[in-house]
Amino acid sequence: MNKVITINLNGKAYQLEEAGYAALKEYLDAARAALAQNPDESEIMADLEQAIADKCDARLSPHKNVVTLSEVEAIIKAMGPVEGGAEREAAREAAEKKEGPKAPRRLYRILEGKWFSGICAGLAAYFDVDVVVVRGLFVLLTIVTGGVWIIPYVVFSFVIPAARTEEEFAEAHGETPLTARDFVNRIRNEGARFAHEGRQARYAWRRKMRDERRAWRHAWRDEWHEEWNKGWQGCGYGPDWRRPAGGFAQAFGGIMIAALSVLWIVAVWSFLTTGLIFGHVIGAGYPVWTTLIFVTLVYLVASSPFKALAFRCGWHHHHGGGFFSTVVFLIVVFYVVSLLSPAVHGWWSAAIAYIQTIR
Amino acid sequence: MADELRDKFAAIRNGLLEYAVLAVVSAKKVYAADIVQALAGTEFATQEGTLYPLLSRLRRERKLEYEWAESAAGPPRKYYRLTAEGRAHLQDLDGYWIELNKTIKKLKL
């Protein structure tokens, strides 16, 4: 008399003798370990489980519904050890290539920890400085140029690709030391690349719009219900966080971030122009910059859960896209800001006048 | 004698397994168990543990593709077939294999 353990093989239940269960678990654990570097690990594991299930079926009948230890051993013998050798080697080779001294550094938008479209993070990685410095510089440039700097920023978000793969992340950070000559070379190369990719982006724009619109629609229709039920549970770095879903979560998170950003911009704007934030005096007696930092911190803290919702749970992260959502985001922000603040109209007409004088 | 030959050619058979699998798939649409069966009893006899990672790699290299098909017994199965790229690759392998044979023959002259 042996104890029986019920297991699930690729969606179907099988009853195994306890010792047989232990043997099979050992085999599958070893297989998983061998395939650890394989990009198709889960698919191959499912195939293997199915093959084992087929072999179990062959040994079961209406009068016999338990797979014995000796049968499990025979099945394992027939399956043979799972070889990940070639794959492991390939992965190691790729890793070596990545670590090699010639990993070229390229400019990418980095979506992890981004505020808007990840340009500052990408530039920070590119020039190997802290992202705070780049952001500070961008904010300063925006103020100094009276907002015109927003235009190149928007152009950058269109033209600079987002780092999507591990390789691209490696390239974004690059290993090459920054010397004066390759700095110049790089600028020249990037210039050529921008020109080329600008053209590509124009061609791709229409197609992309259509595809993303469709993807959004489908995501909304198919998944909002599931997302709503899962709510916040689906977020964070759990084993599930890569799942290519999250239309609703992303849309909701995106809208909340956009709304908070608008509030933040309006707060900063009204503080700079009137000294008041929503009619209140905040930080009286302290230097202006401390109040600005305070407001920004409040914004960052308030928006972080929505960022988590929008960017870690959704297909946004999975596909690394962000192009369309960045555009939507910017349009929403500028539209709402221009509705709320008549001053922004002046701001934009000044920008347009400035561009016309350049022409 | 046979054992000795088997050992000597182990590495070569390993290297040729991909060729053998592509050859089996080129004949008709097959699912994994068909491939195991077709190779069983030949020099290329292989087991699922080896075959599945290989199929996955060939698919990733776009030499194979599969479609799901219902089966009379049990769950739907993945039926593999060659892609155009896979067919071209198989022809290359055929050509190279013939070259190797010619070379050996030439060396004997």
Side-chain angles (χ1 to χ4, degrees), chain A residues 104-133:
Chain A
R105 201 181 293 201
R106 295 182 70 184
L107 185 55
Y108 285 101
R109 288 186 291 117
I110 294 178
L111 305 177
E112 256 81 354
K114 66 176 196 167
W115 280 10
F116 295 104
S117 56
I119 284 172
C120 289
L123 282 170
Y126 191 74
F127 292 113
D128 213 1
V129 291
D130 198 288
V131 66
V132 173
V133 176

Side-chain angles (χ1 to χ4, degrees), chain B residues 2-108:
Chain B
D3 281 352
E4 196 187 320
L5 277 179
R6 205 161 43 231
D7 287 350
K8 223 160 234 166
F9 283 93
I12 289 174
R13 279 201 317 276
N14 260 346
L16 285 175
L17 182 60
E18 175 181 325
Y19 186 15
V21 167
L22 289 173
V24 173
V25 178
S26 74
K28 61 178 196 301
K29 273 200 275 184
V30 286
Y31 83 106
D34 292 336
I35 302 176
V36 173
Q37 208 168 7
L39 295 178
T42 72
E43 295 85 346
F44 297 106
T46 192
Q47 294 175 299
E48 279 92 341
T50 310
L51 184 65
Y52 284 114
L54 175 60
L55 287 174
S56 145
R57 179 167 62 75
L58 289 171
R59 187 185 57 81
R60 222 166 35 242
E61 293 170 359
R62 296 173 198 284
K63 297 189 176 107
L64 291 182
E65 59 190 5
Y66 64 73
E67 59 186 33
W68 291 98
E70 295 297 329
S71 70
R77 288 164 173 169
K78 284 176 185 172
Y79 277 83
Y80 288 88
R81 62 162 173 242
L82 289 187
T83 61
E85 206 173 311
R87 206 162 285 284
H89 181 62
L90 182 58
Q91 270 172 12
D92 289 347
L93 288 172
D94 285 337
Y96 192 68
W97 182 242
I98 291 167
E99 280 306 307
L100 286 179
N101 280 317
K102 270 192 202 157
T103 304
I104 297 289
K105 261 182 212 148
K106 232 185 279 170
L107 292 173
K108 283 191 206 157

Side-chain angles (χ1 to χ4, degrees), chain A residues 12 38 44 48 67 80 83 93 138 142 157 194 243 246 259 267 285 322:
Chain A
K12 202 177 154 195
N38 194 307
I44 299 173
L48 289 170
V67 185
E83 292 165 12
E93 248 168 58
F138 268 56
T142 310
S157 358
F194 280 179
R243 95 198 118 78

